Amino acid sequence: AAMSSGKKGARAAPKETGKPSTWGGTKEAAVTHDRFNLYAVTPLVILTLASYAVPSSQLTHTVLSYATMTYVLFDILYNLAVPQCQPNLMRWATIMLHHVVTVWLVLHPCLHLENADMTAGATIVEINTLILTVNRNLKWKSLTYAFYFTWVTMRLIWYPYLTYVHHIRMTTWGASVFDYYYNQTILTVVVLCALNWLWTYEVVSGLLLKPPKEKK
């Protein structure tokens, strides 16, 4: 906020309204979006675990696929309507890219139910999202460690491996390298991997550039 110069006619600093003066996201919008994620992501995590627990359940795989599609489409609309739920334009743009790519990825198991069991491999990372969302309210050190652990193991290790898993699955299914179905299920995961590494760089660089707290 601008400081008053003390000169006659100088304007007082504007009152906080909760709305960003530029792009900057607001705390209120972020909290509301977190609440939405808490209620939306929890069923996805439960369905994902059920899909892994009962790999023969075609119904579970199908419900998970359509539930994931519904959530991502709704969150695209949410971010378009309330972009200030994201902290800055860069985060909003990468989230939107992530969601659009995810829609194309999940469209495959939705249309080809014989491959619906592939969805759980992608949605397993929602455990990490759920931990982050819950910990924003609880702020437990154990959940912070769990968040970083699941971030590294699921987003930075599992997802690159998932590209290999999908490659084997899709070429066995009949797709050719770089044809439509191959790009839909492998190239999309490569893009998601790149976004995970971009967000990792964003967090790490922010921590490194954060000034140390002054000792009292």
Side-chain angles (χ1 to χ4, degrees), residues 43-57:
L44 294 184
V45 170
I46 294 172
L47 285 169
T48 298
L49 295 176
S51 186
Y52 272 108
V54 189
S56 61
S57 176

Side-chain angles (χ1 to χ4, degrees), residues 52 120-129 131 143-163 189 193 196-197 200:
Y52 272 108
T123 56
I124 193 73
V125 297
E126 297 307 328
I127 293 175
N128 174 258
T129 304
I131 291 172
L143 285 178
T144 300
Y145 291 144
F147 166 73
Y148 286 121
F149 175 77
T150 53
W151 181 279
V152 172
T153 56
M154 294 182 177
R155 295 186 182 274
L156 304 185
I157 297 176
W158 169 249
Y159 253 49
Y161 175 68
L162 191 61
T163 60
V189 180
C193 286
N196 286 333
W197 281 102
T200 301

Side-chain angles (χ1 to χ4, degrees), residues 2 35 60 66 73 76 89 93 111 120 169 192 198 205:
R35 189 177 300 116
T60 303
Y66 279 97
L73 288 174
I76 287 175
L89 177 59
L111 296 180
R169 175 66 175 268
L192 296 178
L198 175 63
S205 61

Side-chain angles (χ1 to χ4, degrees), residues 68-69 72-73 76 92-109 122 159 162-163 166 180-196 199:
T68 301
M69 178 66 80
V72 177
L73 288 174
I76 287 175
W92 181 86
T94 54
I95 288 292
M96 293 299 285
L97 174 60
H98 172 279
H99 283 10
V100 170
V101 169
T102 301
V103 166
W104 190 32
L105 169 61
V106 179
L107 183 62
H108 178 80
Y159 253 49
L162 191 61
T163 60
H166 281 196
Y180 175 84
Y181 293 115
Y182 188 92
N183 292 336
Q184 185 181 26
T185 54
I186 289 87
L187 184 60
T188 50
V189 180
V190 171
V191 174
L192 296 178
C193 286
L195 288 172
N196 286 333
W199 292 328

Side-chain angles (χ1 to χ4, degrees), residues 51 57-66 106 108-110 112-121 169:
S51 186
S57 176
Q58 183 65 38
L59 176 62
T60 303
H61 304 325
T62 302
V63 172
L64 173 60
S65 299
Y66 279 97
V106 179
H108 178 80
C110 284
H112 301 275
L113 295 180
E114 69 273 18
N115 290 330
D117 59 304
M118 295 173 65
T119 304
R169 175 66 175 268

Side-chain angles (χ1 to χ4, degrees), residues 148 202-211:
Y148 286 121
E202 183 182 278
V203 171
V204 172
S205 61
L207 290 174
L208 293 176
L209 294 174
K210 187 177 181 180

Side-chain angles (χ1 to χ4, degrees), residues 120-146:
T123 56
I124 193 73
V125 297
E126 297 307 328
I127 293 175
N128 174 258
T129 304
L130 185 60
I131 291 172
L132 172 65
T133 304
V134 171
N135 198 37
R136 280 176 174 163
N137 291 317
L138 298 180
K139 301 185 186 305
W140 291 355
K141 185 170 290 187
S142 58
L143 285 178
T144 300
Y145 291 144

